[in-house]
Amino acid sequence: PESRALYRLINLFPPARVLSIHQPLNCVDYDGPARPLAQKIAHATNLPLKKLGARPGSLGSFLGVDKSIPTITLELPPNAHHLPPQTLWKKYHLALLLTINPHLSSS
């Protein structure tokens, strides 16, 4: 049901770009035409840029590859879920802001 709802929402309101947050791969991954934004986010978060590749049926495959919507996956470090919210915000808020406005400075 969640995937169907998201599918309908994306088709009803197509996003300009998408940021998905995961862990534990400690990198910035991207699909579709997202490399420039992924590079900015990697620089801003001090995470390495790694092209992991879209998996069939994944959000990156559907949006990035099939629909050509820039799709970034912010892969947090393995223990990030133990960090306090304030620390997570301090370390990764620029990823969110750059996704909203890619023309911001990442410094």
Side-chain angles (χ1 to χ4, degrees), residues 5-86:
L6 190 55
Y7 177 82
R8 284 192 297 271
L9 184 65
I10 287 167
N11 284 309
L12 190 59
F13 302 104
R17 60 201 145 275
V18 171
L19 177 70
S20 176
I21 302 174
H22 288 231
Q23 82 180 80
L25 299 181
N26 195 44
C27 66
V28 176
D29 179 29
Y30 66 95
D31 296 296
R35 185 175 177 83
L37 179 57
Q39 288 173 316
K40 281 185 166 187
I41 290 173
H43 176 74
T45 59
N46 202 30
L47 290 173
L49 180 66
K50 293 184 182 176
K51 180 71 175 109
L52 301 175
R55 306 287 186 257
S58 70
L59 189 64
S61 179
F62 173 59
L63 293 178
V65 177
D66 297 345
K67 293 194 168 280
S68 293
I69 295 171
T71 304
I72 308 290
T73 303
L74 179 63
E75 285 279 357
L76 301 180
N79 294 322
H81 64 284
H82 293 298
L83 295 173
Q86 299 86 346

